[in-house]
Amino acid sequence: MMAASTRAQVLSLYKMMLIESKKFPSYNYRTYALRRVRDAFRANKKVEDPKTVERLMLEGQQTLALIQRQVSIGKMFETQRIVVENKPSA
Protein backbone atom coordinates (compact mmCIF):
# COMPACT_ATOMS: atom_id res chain seq x y z
CA MET A 1 0.00 0.00 0.00
CA MET A 2 1.21 3.48 -0.86
CA ALA A 3 2.12 5.72 2.08
CA ALA A 4 -0.39 8.47 2.83
CA SER A 5 2.15 11.25 2.21
CA THR A 6 3.13 9.73 -1.14
CA ARG A 7 -0.54 9.44 -2.10
CA ALA A 8 -1.04 13.10 -1.21
CA GLN A 9 2.00 14.05 -3.31
CA VAL A 10 0.68 12.06 -6.29
CA LEU A 11 -2.75 13.66 -6.01
CA SER A 12 -1.18 17.10 -5.68
CA LEU A 13 0.94 16.53 -8.80
CA TYR A 14 -2.15 15.28 -10.67
CA LYS A 15 -4.17 18.37 -9.73
CA MET A 16 -1.31 20.72 -10.63
CA MET A 17 -0.90 19.04 -14.02
CA LEU A 18 -4.62 19.36 -14.73
CA ILE A 19 -4.68 23.01 -13.67
CA GLU A 20 -1.66 23.85 -15.82
CA SER A 21 -3.03 21.89 -18.79
CA LYS A 22 -6.24 23.95 -18.66
CA LYS A 23 -4.15 27.10 -19.23
CA PHE A 24 -3.19 26.19 -22.80
CA PRO A 25 -4.59 28.93 -25.04
CA SER A 26 -5.13 26.46 -27.89
CA TYR A 27 -8.19 24.21 -27.59
CA ASN A 28 -6.43 21.31 -29.33
CA TYR A 29 -3.35 21.41 -27.08
CA ARG A 30 -5.52 21.88 -24.00
CA THR A 31 -7.74 18.85 -24.66
CA TYR A 32 -4.74 16.73 -25.70
CA ALA A 33 -2.79 17.61 -22.54
CA LEU A 34 -5.76 16.94 -20.27
CA ARG A 35 -6.42 13.58 -21.91
CA ARG A 36 -2.74 12.55 -21.70
CA VAL A 37 -2.47 13.51 -18.01
CA ARG A 38 -5.64 11.61 -17.08
CA ASP A 39 -4.65 8.55 -19.13
CA ALA A 40 -1.14 8.43 -17.65
CA PHE A 41 -2.40 8.58 -14.08
CA ARG A 42 -5.10 5.97 -14.77
CA ALA A 43 -2.55 3.64 -16.37
CA ASN A 44 -0.28 3.84 -13.32
CA LYS A 45 -3.04 3.76 -10.71
CA LYS A 46 -2.11 0.32 -9.40
CA VAL A 47 1.67 0.88 -9.13
CA GLU A 48 2.81 0.19 -5.56
CA ASP A 49 6.57 -0.34 -5.86
CA PRO A 50 8.20 2.64 -4.08
CA LYS A 51 11.05 2.93 -6.61
CA THR A 52 8.61 2.90 -9.53
CA VAL A 53 6.37 5.46 -7.81
CA GLU A 54 9.42 7.67 -7.20
CA ARG A 55 10.48 7.39 -10.85
CA LEU A 56 6.96 8.17 -12.07
CA MET A 57 6.75 11.17 -9.73
CA LEU A 58 10.02 12.51 -11.12
CA GLU A 59 8.74 12.03 -14.69
CA GLY A 60 5.48 13.75 -13.70
CA GLN A 61 7.32 16.74 -12.25
CA GLN A 62 9.38 17.05 -15.42
CA THR A 63 6.21 16.84 -17.50
CA LEU A 64 4.59 19.52 -15.32
CA ALA A 65 7.57 21.81 -15.97
CA LEU A 66 7.26 21.07 -19.70
CA ILE A 67 3.54 21.90 -19.66
CA GLN A 68 4.25 25.17 -17.85
CA ARG A 69 6.89 26.15 -20.42
CA GLN A 70 4.63 25.26 -23.34
CA VAL A 71 1.73 27.24 -21.88
CA SER A 72 4.01 30.29 -21.58
CA ILE A 73 5.18 29.90 -25.16
CA GLY A 74 1.61 29.34 -26.35
CA LYS A 75 0.48 32.57 -24.71
CA MET A 76 3.25 34.49 -26.47
CA PHE A 77 2.06 33.29 -29.85
CA GLU A 78 -1.71 33.13 -29.48
CA THR A 79 -3.64 32.61 -32.67
CA GLN A 80 -7.24 33.23 -33.61
CA ARG A 81 -9.74 31.11 -31.69
CA ILE A 82 -11.45 28.23 -33.45
CA VAL A 83 -15.23 27.73 -33.58
CA VAL A 84 -15.45 25.40 -30.53
CA GLU A 85 -13.61 27.96 -28.40
CA ASN A 86 -15.78 30.96 -29.20
CA LYS A 87 -18.32 31.72 -26.55
CA PRO A 88 -21.88 32.17 -27.83
CA SER A 89 -23.19 35.69 -27.43
CA ALA A 90 -26.31 35.61 -25.29
Side-chain angles (χ1 to χ4, degrees):
M1 184 110 196
M2 201 184 316
S5 64
T6 305
R7 179 176 169 76
Q9 289 173 334
V10 170
L11 290 174
S12 175
L13 178 62
Y14 177 66
K15 287 177 187 176
M16 287 172 53
M17 290 177 82
L18 290 178
I19 289 168
E20 288 300 316
S21 294
K22 289 177 183 176
K23 292 180 182 177
F24 273 107
S26 167
Y27 172 81
N28 291 328
Y29 285 121
R30 187 169 52 247
T31 55
Y32 176 76
L34 288 167
R35 186 174 61 246
R36 287 294 307 251
V37 168
R38 288 182 183 122
D39 290 349
F41 275 83
R42 275 192 202 116
N44 295 304
K45 187 177 182 178
K46 306 247 186 243
V47 173
E48 292 185 8
D49 177 48
K51 292 220 184 272
T52 306
V53 171
E54 187 178 333
R55 180 181 55 78
L56 290 169
M57 282 291 292
L58 183 60
E59 286 177 19
Q61 290 164 349
Q62 291 170 345
T63 302
L64 175 61
L66 175 85
I67 291 170
Q68 290 168 332
R69 283 192 308 272
Q70 289 303 120
V71 165
S72 296
I73 292 168
K75 286 183 178 179
M76 282 189 253
F77 301 101
E78 274 190 69
T79 58
Q80 196 171 15
R81 294 181 149 219
I82 58 176
V83 174
V84 292
E85 292 179 293
N86 290 333
K87 302 209 188 297
S89 54

